Amino acid sequence: MLNFAETTAVTQNQREALIKFTQSIVTTPSLSGEEGDVADLITAELKKIGYDDIWTDAVGNIVGKINGGSGPTVMLNGHMDVVDPGPDAGWPHPAFSGKIVDGHLWGRGSVDMKGPVAAMMYGAACYKTLGVEPAGDIFMTVAVSEEIGGLGSKFLMRDFSADAAIVGEPSNNQLRIGHRGRIELQIKFTGRSAHASAPHLGINPHFAAARFLEKLKRLPLAEDELLGKSTIAPTLYKTDQVSSNVIPSEAIIFLDWRNVPAETPKHAITELEKLANDCGDCEVVVTRQQRKTYPGPTQDFASIFPPFSTAADHALVKAVTPIIAEATGQPVSPDVWNFATDGGHIHAAGVPVIGIGPGDDALAHTNQERIDIAELELASAIYGPMIGAMMEVMSA
């Protein structure tokens, strides 16, 4: 088992390599489905820093393995895709510049989540650098298409497992033990098309949609002691028409339901059907997507991020708390992410999950995205001792 002093020394020695690698992947665009170039960089770096085995699955997820003993296995999880940066005009520094200013590395993905991926890769590799065999195998997993619903990790967990997992989404290096899920739903209201000059000849679905939205505001929602209250936000609105002088025959409302564990997709559909059926002829479905992955295969998947929570008194939480406290110099108060992560897919596959990563999550998906290099280095030094502590407590 590694201690924090040892891994801090390793991180200091490898500081320039860690920063250079982080810059290289931040400066390489990798929208969902277009991750091939950054995947090549990650694979090459895993080889360079000593991982014993590296492979890529059918959809492009990368798995790097550090061989350990016969003890419990730990999985580290991050993703390589990023959201679109928007116009460069709004960025203080170009979105894919990787420029370092005042101790911060700028660029799309620096926080969400190429910086955390680099920290995890180097953090786990401390075992190789120090010549210490971990009690069990370590798996570094870097998934595709997290930003569009977690296609990569959902595919990965069909055939992959570990005894515990660390998700490295940004948290300012504070411990995270859960998040609400996300269900994207569509409510399609069907009417009858007609010329707008003769509305009496049609059935206008806009009125049914309006009645539904008014009722939606009063729908009772569940609350979880750890994760808080669920929310529903209407987001997109579409019709089957592009002409403003035609009454459409259908109108579709998209809903973003941030759910707690008590609210399953089946529950969500049932509750929305009760509301919508009183408003007009309608259909409620979970959004399904056909997405092409960078190796080529197209995957069909439902837009569902499961929620997850790990008890604050769980053995894994207790095991890593003193390590994080020593590293940060602050008391550890386990909290939850406000957004969904691949931790939901991993937890749904039966693997206990905790989370910690460098970077301010409030900067993710914005044109102010940048990561504090000191946080990046600190995270890299934290992961090795965390892995050892988790293996130790699971072996007890």
Side-chain angles (χ1 to χ4, degrees), residues 107-239:
R108 172 59 81 233
S110 55
V111 168
D112 187 15
M113 65 170 297
K114 291 175 177 178
V117 164
M120 286 188 288
M121 287 170 56
Y122 270 77
C126 284
Y127 282 90
K128 302 297 293 184
T129 305
L130 292 167
V132 176
E133 181 185 64
D137 295 335
I138 302 170
F139 296 96
M140 178 70 229
T141 62
V142 193
V144 298
S145 298
E146 189 271 350
E147 296 290 0
I148 57 170
L151 180 157
S153 285
K154 186 175 182 180
F155 181 90
L156 176 71
M157 298 312 294
R158 293 178 188 177
D159 301 308
F160 183 86
S161 190
D163 293 306
I166 303 171
V167 170
E169 290 278 5
S171 67
N172 288 121
N173 287 337
Q174 296 300 309
L175 186 60
R176 298 288 181 260
I177 56 174
H179 59 65
R180 297 178 301 168
R182 178 180 183 269
I183 310 169
E184 183 183 298
L185 302 113
Q186 299 178 31
I187 298 89
K188 181 171 73 175
F189 293 94
T190 302
R192 184 170 64 239
S193 186
H195 197 291
S197 67
H200 61 284
L201 297 178
I203 300 175
N204 196 323
H206 291 311
F207 294 114
R211 288 191 292 270
F212 168 78
L213 288 172
E214 186 59 35
K215 294 174 67 173
L216 182 65
K217 294 189 294 185
R218 297 188 293 274
L219 180 67
L221 296 172
E223 187 165 2
D224 182 88
E225 185 176 354
L226 175 64
L227 304 180
K229 191 172 184 178
S230 63
T231 58
I232 304 175
T235 53
L236 301 179
Y237 189 88
K238 295 182 178 181
T239 74

Side-chain angles (χ1 to χ4, degrees), residues 31-54:
L31 298 180
S32 304
E34 303 173 9
E35 301 99 334
D37 289 343
V38 82
D40 289 342
L41 293 174
I42 290 168
T43 298
E45 197 74 8
L46 288 169
K47 292 177 181 177
K48 177 182 173 183
I49 59 180
Y51 280 70
D52 295 301
D53 196 9
I54 304 154

Side-chain angles (χ1 to χ4, degrees), residues 193-199 204 206 239 241-248:
S193 186
H195 197 291
S197 67
N204 196 323
H206 291 311
T239 74
Q241 281 295 329
V242 295
S243 300
S244 61
N245 60 351
V246 179
I247 294 171

Side-chain angles (χ1 to χ4, degrees), residues 255-306:
L255 298 180
D256 184 306
W257 189 320
R258 300 291 166 148
N259 63 310
V260 298
E263 298 168 327
T264 64
K266 182 178 179 180
H267 166 86
I269 290 174
T270 299
E271 292 302 303
L272 293 175
E273 283 178 341
K274 290 178 185 177
L275 289 185
N277 286 335
D278 291 339
C279 301
D281 186 11
C282 70
E283 177 186 21
V284 181
V285 297
V286 173
T287 298
R288 297 198 68 88
Q289 303 180 64
Q290 289 280 344
R291 293 285 187 172
K292 187 173 182 179
T293 59
Y294 78 83
T298 298
Q299 293 288 308
D300 173 78
F301 74 108
S303 294
I304 298 172
F305 263 121

